[in-house]
Every structure is written in structure tokens, then in C-alpha cells.
RNA sequence: GCGAAAGUGGCGGAAUUGGCAGACGCACCAGACUUAGGAUCUGGCGGGGUAACCCAUGAGGGUUCGAGUCCCUCCUUUCGCACCA
């Protein structure tokens, strides 16, 4: 009885013991240098924001990466598996305001707490390469890159309309605005403000970022589609319509008629220049610069335009631009179609966006659904200029409203009978020759606004001088250190602007007093290149060593949530290309394979504090241990699907680990006593168990490497353990010889090692194993042993299952057929009927077709 | 509206190329052991039927000797895009 008690699986004893031993061995999870001869494998999970608490989504993310890293070590790879902290950002500032704690202190304390959690979970990270983005030894390189990009014209400063989150009290990049709301505050509507801001010229790489997606076949199609949509390439033509001379509605301040000079132009962007003969109006965005001129002193028109703008803004804020009811007002002015000299009215409309294309369109109601809706509403003429290439049998179908498909030009003067494609080329060419337009490519993606009016971020290394304008901080003055003892409030712009020691500098050019830039960089700058720094985290001379990068990059496997599909993941791809063009690296893409894991759900909803359905990892570890918590996170669902957290399931996994513990502990002495190979080929129970073992190894190896179905891997280990448990008496009695026991138990432990490293380490030691189990070679399945000598073949009659017959493995069709026909149940089923056809699929099935 | 993914017991999920639907786990039921415990072990567990059998993978069609798997139509859920000219 006392002995039975000792066999109780107690993770609260085992896990801290190994955690201590591993902590004393800093080389345990370290990558080997480049020349080790092993193939390299860089596995990376997205680094966490140091909020102070890991949540279950983290546990899942890192359990996946850690299982992969351990298995790759076992398969003989030189694995780089680092971790760091995305440590700049607003929560630290908000906490500072709330608790009067300096952001740095708050952040570093959180990092320490989360590092403890990581270590308690037994995550195999190489902490020697840890990266903390809020420390000067990291962010100085953000500044260094900023300066290099400035030198190349990839950084510029511009006053423009920018997104402002009133909750964050700072500007946001377009990528950080989702359906008109802040990415961090989904209830907060983002405002537009006119501000002077720093931008990264990501649009210079728009085409390359788009083209690169085609080659990223290791990325989920979903993410690639999202990035394609975001980049939003559109091929078309820009055409100038000439303003017709007109005094209508235009008055000067003294109420005298105001004449807009003929010859001024309105440039429109269209993807369907072939329909230009069907243009019956020009539509301007309410914010189009020409609108003010056209309105002149016409107060009524100005009010109406203001209203249109307001409608557009409201629709944007509602995140529902598609549903806006189209409104417009005629300006009373006219434009001349450069191709046919036709005079068409100029309108202002609420559905035209100022920030796409040229902010002006030619409206072709005959061949565009939106234009048709608008023209119908305001009785603007609708004209057909494209006819179907093959006229429909039913004439009705060729009637308006409109044909948006390609066809043949009609009512288009000299261009009649051209195909749409040919007409587009021809018209663009003519426009170019005559100087009133050209073929262009438009992108939806905008330059990346990186200025943030907040404190806890990388200072932008620029100085404003009255004489010399904007002057970069010289390299030898880097890093520009973020001052620490400062007062933080959310009001009144950048907190740094109130720190006179920081602001007041001398101009590096003229030596006169100057003002330092007080905005900080977007935190997405930090995460755009952090994974390069891991390879050389202590380098104080450069951001990294280029030769080392060449060895480790691109990242073989990146794992994280899909929520970064267009934020972090597009910025990183941009940054990689910038570094390549700076001559620092040679790879075009940072990541070969991307995996986006599903969310962790509880009671049908994503875990969230608001909903009160959060499960704390610490709690789970305290109750069931880290191994059970991690293993459950991998067992409950395939990693790409959402995971429904059920605590009873964790208890079930914990019971399973207990069974593993007991069966191995009970027979460990027998296994240790084994010397050499078994004297005879296995038979009876030994054969059955060894066969199951080698089948299990084959299955797990396949599911792990090919499909990442960790749930079926773990289920297979459970099956093996169930068989071992059922054969407990035979193991005990010596019916299964010691070498077989050793083979069974050591391999079981090795198979378990990627999922439950603590238990594996404990049992490995008990079995007399050297080093750590996750540094031992991954088990190899012996196909001879795995092979069954008899298999079951289902027999169907007319497609219905009747019985199962046993035949020797590899039996020929005739043998299988004979066995099927000899079966009593089958016989009785086909009695009195004629066999019309027999289908035998060797190794699979027999189907008898009878009448 | 367009595009993608998904829909299997009471629950999470298996089913590798079209070949025994429900592996594995949870929950539940029965039993064993017992110094009573959130322990361990054994058996049962899709529905109907005493049984032989019959029915069953969102619904309906189809292809096939054979369909959860392939094709068509529809329904539901999730995600992405959506006046982008």
C-alpha cells in the first residue's frame, strides 16, 4: 500500500524540480553556432506584449511552438527558439497615470512576472537572446534605421489628414483603424485631424509586397488574400476633363460674377476608360480642392457640400460606407470630355472619396451600378456604349440598366467595334500623346504614419532648427534616450514636449538652439524587425550581424494569431525589403511558413475580462500542472481551429499523464535491468505491444510532421498507454522480456517529450536516460514490427456492411474473395440470389453485387 | 452583395487517396477495490428494435459497386472584402 502511494503523479513536485535544474543549465535551449553541421530551423512565436499576465491564447500559441521546437531538436535540427517582449506601448502609460508607477518600472516588473510564467510552463526558450524593445540597446536601432530610411527618402514629414483615436490620444496608422474604429478600442470611432506627421514610404514597395505574396505558399491563403485586399492594386487610366468657361453660380467677394478660366482641368481616375463616351457627368468628392473654387460665394451650395461631407463621415464612422444613400448636388459648372468635346455637368457627391484615385470620377451610368443608381435618382442621361460581344438570344437582356461586363464598343465614334481591352489601351495611349492623361496604377495602401503623440515609445531622432529646418540626429549621438522621470498625462499632446531638458538641444548643423522632435514611433516599428535581433541580441555595433542572418533567415516557421494579418505581418515584410535595399540582408521575405492558430473560446465566446470567462493559466498550473495544461491546449482541437476550453478536459489529460507516470514508474526497474537486444524475436503479448508501439511512432511522426494534428498525436499516445495498462500483468510477470519493456517505455517517454516535457524528463531519468529526452533522437518506426500479419476486411453486399473477415496481410484478391464468400453471415445474406459482380479492393474491402 | 472556411453523438473532436462513421478524451450509467476519494481499475455509452435488423455525418438531389469525403441546389455559422471609380 505504501508503495502504491508513492506512485501518485504529482506535478507540483516534479515540475518545480526540473524547472530548477533547467534554469541551472542556460545552454539547454541554446542554438548552436552556424558551423555545427546540423540543418538549421528557426521556429518563432509572436512575442507578447508584457501586460503582466499570460492568458490562455498565449499558452496555446507557445505550447504549439514549443512542441515543434522540441520535436525538431529530437529530429536533429539546430533549432533557434527565442523569446522577447514587445515592451513599448500605451498600457504602460495608462498604468502610470492610474497607479503613479513609471512606465519602465511597470513594464519591467510585468516582464519579470511573465518570464516566471513562461519558465513555470516549461517553455524551451533561449533567454540568452532575449529582446526587450523598450530598452535603449534595442530602440537605438529603430532610430538608426529611421535615419537610414530618411537618407533614402523612405521617411518623410507631411501635413495631412490622419486618424486620431480620442481614447489613445494619438494618431493611428491606417492599418490600426478597423471599420472606422481604433484597433485597441473597438467602441471608439477614429476622428480625422490635420497634423504634421512622419511617414514611412511603404507605398514604394506596394507592388513588390503584392508580387511577393504569390511566392509565399507556406502562408495561409486567407492571410495572403487579406494582404492583397489591403494593398488594393487597381489598373486604370487618369484622364483630364477640361472645365468649360462658366460664370453661373460663381461670384467674387464683391458679388461680381466670377469666371473660372477655361483650360483648368479635372483629373479623374477610371478603370474603364473604354466607357468614356458614356460619361454623362463628373462627380467630385466633397473634399476635392476644386469644390471650393466652383462653389465660390454660393452659400447654399457650400452648405449642401458640407452636408454631403458630413454624410460621408458618418457612414465611415459607422463602418458602413457601402450602405450610404447616394446624394449629390450639381455645381452648375460643366466639363468637356477630351475625347468627344461633350459638355457634361459637374456634381459633388457623397459617395466619392477624396483619398482614393484623384477624388474625382467620370460617371458612366450605362455601365456602372453605382453611377446607374445615382443617375436614375437625379435624372442624368444614361447611355449605352458597350454591347455584349455575343448578343444575347433574348433581346430584353441587352436592355439597360447596364452591362458591366466587357464587350464591344458602340456609340463611341472612331472607337466603335473595338473590344474593351483594346479600347482601354488605345484611349490611354491617345490621352498620353495629347497630354490629357495616362495609364496608371493606383493602390489602396497608404504610407505608414509612424508619429505617436505619446511618451512610451522610441524617440524619433530628429531635430527642428529655425535655420536648417529638419536635421537628423547624427549617428554618434544615438541613442536618443527616452527620459525617465517625467510627468505623464493624456492631455496636451506629446508628454515629451514638456520635458525641457529633452526638447532643448543645439542644432547639429549650425549649433544654434533647436527643438527636438517630441513624437515617438509607432510600436509596430519595434516588432517589424525584432526577430532579426534575436540572432545577435547583444550587438552594440550594429543591429545584427549580416552573416548570422544569412544562416538563420528566413524564419522557417512563424506562429501567431490571425489578427496581425495586415498589421505586423505587412510591416515586417516591408521592413525586410528596406533592410535588403540597405544592403544589410539578402532575403526578400522574413517568414517562409506562417501558421495562424485559432482562438481560445469558453462557453461559446472568446475569453475576455468583460465577459468574465477568463481562465487563468496560473490557476490551471496550480491544479493540474504545466504539462497537463499545455497538453490539453494541444489535445482539445487541431491548432488552426478555435479551442473550446473545458476544465474537465484538463482533468482528463491530467489523469492520462498519471497513467503514463504509473505504468513507467512501475516497470522502470525492469527496463533498467535490460541489457542488450532480446534473445528471441518478440511473440505473444510482446509482439502485440511492440507492434502497437511502432504503429504509434509512425502515426505520430506523420501527424506531427505533415499535418500538425497534435490532437491525434496525443490520442495515439493515449491508445498506446491504454494497451500497456491492459498488459500490466504481463509486464509484471516477466512474460514481456526486459529488453521489450525497455523499448516500450523509453519510446513512450520520447513520444511524450514535445508535449509534456516535465513528465518526460522525470521518467527519462527514472529509465536511466542521459541528458534530456528532448535532446534524444526522435523514435524511428520499424516497418517490419509495425506490420500486422492479419488484417480485417469489411464485406459489403450491395454496398451494405454485412461482416468482417480476417485474412493474412497482403492477401491476393482471390484469397480475400474466397474468405468473403465462405463467411456464414455473407452466405445467408446472398442465399438464393445471383452474384452479378464482385469488387475486391485488396487491403480495403469486398463488395458483392447481387440480384 | 462578393470571396473563403466550416456544419459529424449530451460535449470537444477522429475517420491519411471515395472503402468498418463516431478513434481519443469529457460527461453520464453500472460494477470492483476501499482506512471515502476531485484516487484507481473493469464494463457500457448515436437513435429505434426483445431480436434478426433498420435508420443516422445541416437539408434535398446526383455520380459510384461503395459517399462524412466528389458534383449540383439550398440552409446555418464564422471570417475577410464591400460605393476603391
Amino acid at each position: 500500500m505504501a508503495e502504491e502511494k508513492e506512485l501518485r503523479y504529482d506535478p507540483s513536485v516534479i515540475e518545480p524540480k526540473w524547472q530548477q535544474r533547467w534554469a541551472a543549465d542556460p545552454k539547454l535551449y541554446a542554438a548552436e553556432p552556424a558551423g555545427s553541421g546540423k540543418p538549421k530551423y528557426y521556429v518563432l512565436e509572436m512575442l507578447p506584449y508584457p501586460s503582466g499576465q499570460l492568458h490562455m491564447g498565449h499558452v496555446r500559441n507557445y505550447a504549439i511552438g514549443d512542441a515543434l521546437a522540441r520535436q525538431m531538436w529530437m529530429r536533429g535540427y539546430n533549432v533557434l527558439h527565442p523569446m522577447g517582449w514587445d515592451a513599448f506601448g500605451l498600457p504602460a502609460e495608462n498604468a502610470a497615470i492610474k497607479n503613479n508607477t513609471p512606465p519602465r518600472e511597470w513594464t519591467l516588473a510585468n516582464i519579470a512576472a511573465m518570464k516566471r510564467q513562461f519558465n513555470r510552463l516549461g517553455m524551451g526558450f533561449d533567454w540568452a537572446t532575449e529582446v526587450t524593445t523598450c530598452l535603449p540597446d534595442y530602440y537605438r536601432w529603430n532610430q538608426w534605421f529611421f535615419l537610414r530610411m530618411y537618407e533614402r527618402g523612405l521617411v518623410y514629414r507631411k501635413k495631412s489628414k490622419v486618424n486620431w483615436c480620442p481614447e489613445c490620444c494619438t494618431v493611428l496608422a491606417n492599418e490600426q483603424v478597423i471599420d472606422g474604429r481604433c484597433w485597441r478600442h473597438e467602441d471608439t470611432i477614429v476622428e480625422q485631424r490635420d497634423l504634421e506627421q512622419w511617414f514611412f514610404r511603404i507605398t514604394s514597395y506596394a507592388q513588390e509586397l503584392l508580387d511577393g505574396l504569390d511566392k509565399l505558399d507556406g502562408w495561409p491563403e486567407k492571410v495572403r488574400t487579406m494582404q492583397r485586399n489591403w494593398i488594393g492594386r487597381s489598373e486604370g487610366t487618369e484622364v483630364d476633363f477640361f472645365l468649360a468657361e462658366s460664370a453661373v453660380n460663381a461670384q467674387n467677394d464683391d458679388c461680381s460674377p466670377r469666371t473660372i478660366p477655361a483650360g483648368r482641368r479635372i483629373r479623374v481616375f477610371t478603370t474603364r476608360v473604354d466607357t468614356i463616351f458614356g460619361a454623362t457627368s463628373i462627380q467630385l468628392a466633397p473634399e476635392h480642392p476644386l469644390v471650393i473654387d466652383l462653389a465660390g460665394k454660393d452659400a447654399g451650395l457650400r452648405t449642401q457640400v458640407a452636408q454631403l461631407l458630413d454624410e460621408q463621415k458618418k457612414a465611415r464612422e459607422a463602418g458602413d460606407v457601402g450602405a450610404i444613400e447616394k446624394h449629390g448636388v450639381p455645381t452648375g459648372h460643366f466639363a468637356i470630355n477630351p475625347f468627344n468635346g461633350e459638355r457634361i455637368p459637374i456634381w459633388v457627391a457623397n459617395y466619392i472619396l477624396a483619398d482614393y484615385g484623384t477624388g474625382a470620377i467620370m460617371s458612366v451610368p450605362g455601365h456602372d451600378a453605382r453611377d446607374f443608381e445615382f443617375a436614375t435618382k437625379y435624372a442624368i442621361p444614361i447611355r449605352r456604349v458597350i454591347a455584349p460581344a455575343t448578343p444575347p438570344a433574348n433581346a430584353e437582356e441587352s436592355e439597360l440598366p447596364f452591362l458591366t461586363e466587357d464587350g464591344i464598343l458602340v456609340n463611341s465614334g472612331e472607337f466603335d467595334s473595338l473590344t474593351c481591352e483594346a479600347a482601354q489601351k488605345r484611349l490611354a495611349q491617345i490621352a498620353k500623346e495629347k497630354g490629357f492623361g495616362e495609364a496608371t496604377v493606383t493602390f489602396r495602401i497608404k504610407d505608414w504614419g509612424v508619429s505617436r503623440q505619446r511618451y512610451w515609445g522610441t524617440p524619433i531622432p530628429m531635430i527642428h532648427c529655425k535655420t536648417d529646418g529638419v536635421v537628423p540626429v547624427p549617428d554618434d549621438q544615438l541613442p536618443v534616450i527616452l527620459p525617465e522621470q517625467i510627468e505623464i498625462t493624456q492631455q496636451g499632446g506629446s508628454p515629451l514636449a514638456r520635458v525641457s531638458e529633452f526638447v532643448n538641444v543645439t542644432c547639429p548643423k549650425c549649433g544654434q538652439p533647436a527643438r527636438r522632435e517630441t513624437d515617438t514611433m509607432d510600436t509596430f516599428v519595434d516588432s517589424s524587425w525584432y526577430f532579426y535581433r534575436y540572432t545577435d541580441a547583444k550587438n552594440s555595433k550594429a543591429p545584427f550581424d549580416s552573416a548570422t542572418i544569412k544562416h538563420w533567415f528566413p524564419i522557417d516557421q512563424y506562429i501567431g494569431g490571425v489578427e496581425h494579418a495586415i498589421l505586423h505581418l505587412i510591416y515586417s515584410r516591408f521592413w525586410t525589403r528596406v533592410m535588403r535595399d540597405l544592403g544589410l540582408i539578402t532575403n526578400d521575405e522574413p517568414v517562409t511558413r506562417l501558421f495562424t492558430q485559432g482562438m481560445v473560446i469558453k462557453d461559446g465566446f472568446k475569453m475576455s475580462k468583460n465577459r468574465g470567462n477568463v481562465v487563468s493559466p496560473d490557476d490551471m498550473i496550480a491544479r493540474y500542472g504545466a504539462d497537463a495544461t499545455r497538453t490539453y491546449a494541444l489535445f482539445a482541437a487541431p491548432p488552426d481551429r478555435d479551442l473550446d476550453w473545458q476544465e474537465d478536459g484538463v482533468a482528463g489529460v491530467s489523469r492520462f499523464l498519471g497513467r503514463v507516470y504509473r505504468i513507467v514508474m512501475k516497470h522502470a526497474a525492469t527496463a533498467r535491468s535490460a541489457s542488450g537486444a532480446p534473445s528471441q524475436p518478440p511473440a505473444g503479448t510482446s509482439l502485440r505491444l511492440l507492434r502497437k508501439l511502432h504503429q504509434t511512432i509512425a502515426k505520430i511522426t506523420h501527424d506531427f510532421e505533415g499535418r500538425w494534428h497534435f490532437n491525434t498525436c496525443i490520442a495515439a499516445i493515449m491508445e498506446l498507454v491504454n494497451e500497456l495498462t491492459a498488459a500490466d500483468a504481463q509486464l509484471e510477470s516477466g512474460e514481456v522480456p526486459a529488453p521489450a519493456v525497455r523499448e516500450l517505455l523509453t519510446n513512450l517517454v520520447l513520444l511524450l517529450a514535445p508535449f509534456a516535457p516535465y513528465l518526460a524528463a522525470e521518467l527519462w531519468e527514472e529509465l536511466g536516460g542521459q541528458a534530456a529526452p528532448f535532446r534524444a533522437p526522435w523514435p524511428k518506426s520499424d516497418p517490419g514490427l509495425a506490420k500486422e500479419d492479419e488484417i480485417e476486411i469489411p464485406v459489403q453486399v450491395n454496398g451494405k456492411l454485412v461482416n468482417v473477415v480476417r485474412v493474412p496481410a497482403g492477401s491476393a484478391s482471390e484469397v480475400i474473395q474466397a474468405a468473403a464468400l465462405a463467411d456464414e453471415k455473407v452466405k445467408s445474406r446472398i442465399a438464393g440470389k445471383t452474384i452479378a459482380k464482385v469488387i475486391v479492393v485488396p487491403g480495403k474491402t469486398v463488395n458483392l453485387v447481387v440480384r
Side-chain angles (χ1 to χ4, degrees), chain A residues 10-75:
Chain A
D10 188 353
S12 70
V13 174
I14 293 171
E15 295 183 353
K17 164 183 149 190
W18 285 98
Q19 197 189 325
Q20 267 184 17
R21 288 216 210 161
W22 292 341
D25 181 6
K27 286 261 181 266
L28 183 65
Y29 299 119
E32 295 166 41
S36 72
K38 293 179 183 172
K40 69 97 182 177
Y41 195 81
Y42 188 171
V43 53
L44 182 69
E45 301 100 68
M46 289 180 187
L47 84 178
Y49 176 80
S51 62
Q53 274 282 319
L54 287 179
H55 54 68
M56 276 305 169
H58 287 129
V59 172
R60 189 181 195 197
N61 189 191
Y62 302 120
I64 293 168
D66 199 48
L68 181 64
R70 287 176 196 275
Q71 209 236 8
M72 293 310 278
W73 270 310
M74 295 175 80
R75 285 169 60 191

Side-chain angles (χ1 to χ4, degrees), chain A residues 690-698 743 780-782 785-786:
Chain A
L690 287 169
R691 187 171 278 159
K692 181 70 180 174
L693 170 69
H694 284 274
Q695 289 168 352
T696 305
I697 294 171
E743 186 176 347
K780 252 188 100 145
S781 174
D782 178 340
L785 258 178

Side-chain angles (χ1 to χ4, degrees), chain A residues 236-243 264-277 279 282 284 288 335-341 344 357-362 423-424 426-432 434-440 442:
Chain A
T237 311
E238 287 184 4
V239 179
D240 293 332
F241 281 67
F242 303 99
L243 261 178
R264 274 192 73 175
R265 301 169 174 203
I266 304 172
R267 175 155 281 218
V268 304
F269 173 73
T270 176
T271 54
R272 292 296 304 273
V273 71
D274 52 305
T275 63
I276 197 163
F277 282 73
I282 294 290
L284 301 180
H288 195 286
I336 307 294
N337 185 331
F339 281 100
N340 59 5
I344 57 175
T358 59
I361 65 154
M362 61 177 205
Q424 280 167 20
R426 183 83 191 107
L427 289 160
Q429 191 191 349
I430 290 172
K432 179 147 196 186
K434 299 202 171 164
F436 58 76
E438 62 189 326
T440 57
T442 303

Side-chain angles (χ1 to χ4, degrees), chain A residues 340-543:
Chain A
N340 59 5
E342 188 179 4
R343 200 174 124 99
I344 57 175
I346 302 170
W347 287 60
V348 180
N350 62 355
Y351 70 99
I352 307 301
L353 306 169
D355 56 2
Y356 182 78
T358 59
I361 65 154
M362 61 177 205
S363 176
V364 186
H367 302 282
D368 182 283
R370 301 154 297 184
D371 295 346
F372 179 77
E373 186 190 336
F374 192 85
T376 309
K377 183 165 188 174
Y378 292 105
I380 295 170
I382 300 168
R383 189 184 307 156
R384 162 180 292 280
V385 290
I386 307 288
T390 47
N394 183 351
E396 295 297 310
E397 284 177 27
S398 70
E399 295 300 307
L400 293 173
F402 49 81
L403 171 80
T404 50
E405 292 77 35
D406 279 6
I408 304 292
L409 269 67
V410 293
N411 300 325
S412 299
E414 58 179 296
F415 305 101
D416 276 0
S417 83
L418 283 179
T419 64
C420 289
E421 201 189 336
Q424 280 167 20
K425 277 190 189 146
R426 183 83 191 107
L427 289 160
Q429 191 191 349
I430 290 172
K432 179 147 196 186
E433 280 164 11
K434 299 202 171 164
F436 58 76
E438 62 189 326
T440 57
V441 174
T442 303
F443 291 95
R444 206 180 74 125
I445 190 171
K446 296 281 184 301
D447 279 335
W448 175 10
V450 294
S451 298
R452 296 293 176 270
Q453 293 69 46
R454 297 299 306 243
Y455 159 72
W456 192 233
T458 305
I460 293 175
M462 288 288 173
I463 288 164
H464 301 277
C465 170
K466 276 202 179 111
T467 318
D468 296 305
V470 172
V471 181
V473 173
D475 276 7
D476 59 14
Q477 288 176 29
L478 295 185
V480 176
I481 296 279
L482 188 65
E484 287 191 22
Q485 299 302 322
I486 85 152
E487 188 211 356
I488 295 167
T489 68
Q490 285 205 337
Q491 277 78 46
S494 302
L496 287 174
R498 291 187 296 274
V499 183
S500 54
E501 314 86 88
F502 180 80
V503 175
N504 298 320
V505 288
T506 54
C507 170
K509 264 194 188 160
C510 66
Q512 294 300 304
R515 202 176 58 79
R516 201 185 277 289
E517 170 69 54
T518 56
D519 282 356
T520 52
M521 294 184 206
D522 183 1
T523 54
F524 279 95
V525 170
D526 310 327
S527 54
S528 289
W529 68 280
Y530 75 101
F531 33 61
Y532 289 96
R533 182 71 178 171
Y534 284 138
T535 62
D536 198 10
K538 302 283 185 284
N539 196 330
S540 58
K541 303 271 185 325

Side-chain angles (χ1 to χ4, degrees), chain A residues 61-264:
Chain A
N61 189 191
Y62 302 120
I64 293 168
D66 199 48
L68 181 64
R70 287 176 196 275
Q71 209 236 8
M72 293 310 278
W73 270 310
M74 295 175 80
R75 285 169 60 191
Y77 286 82
N78 180 18
V79 177
L80 177 61
H81 188 218
M83 188 43 62
W85 311 97
D86 189 16
F88 271 137
L90 268 181
E93 258 174 273
N94 295 338
I97 294 164
K98 202 171 154 199
N99 314 325
N100 204 25
T101 325
R104 181 188 158 100
E105 207 174 282
W106 183 84
T107 304
L108 294 182
N110 285 349
I111 289 174
M114 289 171 80
K115 200 167 174 176
R116 264 198 306 279
Q117 288 182 298
F118 272 140
N119 286 330
R120 181 64 189 80
L121 277 164
M123 294 297 170
F125 299 130
D126 179 7
W127 290 112
T129 66
E130 181 178 6
V131 164
T132 305
T133 61
C134 68
L135 299 179
D137 70 343
Y138 182 80
Y139 71 68
R140 68 173 296 168
W141 300 110
N142 286 343
Q143 296 170 342
W144 185 85
F145 280 121
F146 191 99
L147 294 171
R148 299 293 83 77
M149 286 162 78
Y150 182 75
E151 289 160 6
R152 299 206 150 214
L154 291 170
V155 170
Y156 65 93
R157 189 170 160 82
K158 186 179 82 175
K159 184 164 184 170
S160 69
K161 285 229 182 312
V162 290
N163 313 296
W164 177 269
C165 173
E167 198 67 34
C168 297
C169 295
T170 183
V171 162
L172 301 176
N174 292 324
E175 286 78 9
Q176 288 150 22
V177 181
I178 294 149
D179 287 339
R181 321 223 159 195
C182 172
W183 69 294
R184 300 191 59 249
H185 304 99
E186 51 183 45
D187 297 327
T188 306
I189 290 168
V190 170
E191 302 164 5
Q192 300 295 306
R193 288 198 181 179
D194 265 311
L195 288 170
E196 195 161 17
Q197 298 283 297
W198 288 101
F199 289 90
F200 285 158
R201 213 180 285 280
I202 193 170
T203 53
S204 298
Y205 289 87
Q207 186 64 53
E208 213 198 315
L209 288 169
L210 182 67
D211 293 341
L213 291 171
D214 294 337
K215 290 172 226 147
L216 288 178
D217 48 16
W219 283 39
E221 193 50 52
K222 182 184 161 149
V223 173
R224 294 199 279 170
T225 305
M226 285 168 76
Q227 291 209 358
R228 278 192 196 102
N229 287 339
W230 185 257
I231 294 167
R233 184 181 197 272
S234 180
E235 268 179 52
T237 311
E238 287 184 4
V239 179
D240 293 332
F241 281 67
F242 303 99
L243 261 178
E245 194 161 332
S246 165
V248 181
N249 285 340
Q251 293 177 331
N252 287 317
D253 287 357
D254 59 3
C255 293
S256 61
R258 181 181 180 206
T259 303
I260 306 271
R264 274 192 73 175

Side-chain angles (χ1 to χ4, degrees), chain A residues 672 746 761 763-773:
Chain A
R672 278 198 309 269
T746 52
L763 297 177
W764 188 248
E765 186 180 56
E766 197 64 33
L767 290 168
Q770 300 299 307

Side-chain angles (χ1 to χ4, degrees), chain A residues 656 692 696 699 714-724:
Chain A
F656 157 66
K692 181 70 180 174
T696 305
K699 176 173 174 54
I714 294 162
I717 302 177
M718 287 173 171
E719 283 187 56
L720 175 63
V721 170
N722 289 347
E723 286 224 19
L724 286 172

